[in-house]
Amino acid sequence: MGTRVLIVEDEEPLSLLLRYNLEAEGYDVDTVARGDDAEIRLRELVPDLVLLDWMLPGLSGIELCRRIRSRQETERLPVIMLTARGEETERVRGLATGADDYVVKPFSVPELLARVRALLRRAKPSHVANLLTAGDIELDRETRRVRRSSRELHLGPTEFRLLEFLMQSPGRVFSREQLLDGVWGHDVYIDERTVDVHVGRLRKAINRPRKPDPIRTVRGAGYAFDETFARD
Ligand code: CA
């Protein structure tokens, strides 16, 4: 069984966006749009983490969070609050209610995903692998280091995130648009050719003479991390 994330959010486009991105990272995702429905769902099955909107029909996020903390089964359940209210007093109130973290809308998806990982790591260290490995390539999320054949490679922050994103789903082909969403964030406007530029830089940083190129260009589709590159 994978790591389960429950999204409680009544804005459907946001809920879908979060589901898509979390599933791309390998989480099992469940969504509900109402606070009272979320409470029922939590009685049926306790997930590993909850993304909880503040303003919800049925039962507010604040009240739901309070109830989550007051039940023994969920008192330690990691909760990230999502809210449009960014004022310091509201932030304090959200955390005082028992949320573990707090993200103000509009937020960048990669940032939220990083917070999800960090919180899961704190809650249950086994849930998130810090080290991604494929063939002779090692990517350490904690120290932000990448090695190939035990030699350290120097990647820019964008190339690091791009490699991390591709290595998370070996073999899967991502379009340039999907890479933009996953690596740069959904609300950022960047030309799709930027992806090609960064893939070029990534290749330059990780490839060595006589070593196979792990990044596969799929014509007309996009890019993939080639899970077979190390098998020959
Ligand atoms: Ca809402």
Side-chain angles (χ1 to χ4, degrees):
M1 195 189 77
T3 303
R4 291 177 186 277
V5 177
L6 176 65
I7 301 169
V8 190
E9 169 61 71
D10 60 324
E11 281 171 56
E12 209 189 342
L14 180 57
S15 184
L16 284 171
L17 171 71
L18 291 173
R19 173 192 277 275
Y20 170 82
N21 281 282
L22 286 162
E23 284 180 347
E25 293 234 337
Y27 299 109
D28 289 335
V29 181
D30 199 5
T31 58
V32 283
R34 295 177 56 93
D36 45 1
D37 290 345
E39 196 183 21
I40 294 165
R41 192 70 57 93
L42 286 167
R43 285 181 188 275
E44 293 162 358
L45 182 71
V46 179
D48 296 293
L49 182 137
V50 178
L51 296 179
L52 180 57
D53 184 29
W54 182 301
M55 303 288 281
L56 288 166
L59 185 68
S60 77
I62 284 279
E63 179 54 25
L64 181 58
C65 192
R66 208 185 54 72
R67 293 188 191 182
I68 286 172
R69 288 292 171 257
S70 66
R71 266 182 72 216
Q72 204 189 342
E73 295 83 351
T74 53
E75 64 183 358
R76 295 154 79 78
L77 174 61
V79 175
I80 300 180
M81 287 282 251
L82 312 175
T83 177
R85 304 187 190 194
E87 286 179 2
E88 206 56 35
T89 50
E90 300 292 351
R91 188 180 291 254
V92 169
R93 208 175 134 214
L95 293 173
T97 315
D100 297 279
D101 204 349
Y102 187 103
V103 180
V104 179
K105 293 176 190 173
F107 48 81
S108 92
V109 171
E111 190 204 330
L112 178 68
L113 294 175
R115 286 180 186 226
V116 165
R117 280 198 295 272
L119 191 50
L120 284 170
R121 201 152 44 212
R122 241 155 54 209
K124 276 190 185 173
S126 61
H127 275 161
V128 181
N130 280 333
L131 202 61
L132 295 174
T133 55
D136 58 352
I137 298 179
E138 266 184 19
L139 180 147
D140 189 329
R141 288 170 153 153
E142 193 116 73
T143 60
R144 319 285 297 169
R145 287 191 163 147
V146 180
R147 291 193 185 83
R148 182 154 198 189
S149 302
S150 306
R151 287 184 58 182
E152 185 152 354
L153 307 177
H154 297 282
L155 269 59
T158 304
E159 285 71 40
F160 181 90
R161 286 203 308 273
L162 185 58
L163 181 62
E164 182 186 17
F165 188 80
L166 290 169
M167 282 182 81
Q168 274 164 190
S169 308
R172 183 169 157 189
V173 180
F174 292 99
S175 68
R176 288 168 179 80
E177 193 187 348
Q178 286 172 325
L179 289 171
L180 277 178
D181 284 355
V183 177
W184 281 263
H186 194 75
D187 42 5
V188 182
Y189 179 76
I190 302 173
D191 193 286
E192 291 190 359
R193 276 169 300 186
T194 305
V195 174
D196 301 328
V197 172
H198 285 277
V199 168
R201 284 189 198 156
L202 176 60
R203 279 191 165 127
K204 207 171 161 198
I206 63 176
N207 285 330
R208 293 288 173 269
R210 294 182 304 280
K211 297 266 186 187
D213 182 358
I215 313 284
R216 192 157 63 95
T217 303
V218 184
R219 279 187 68 186
Y223 297 100
F225 188 86
D226 186 357
E227 80 276 30
T228 65
F229 87 98
R231 287 197 197 139
D232 44 17

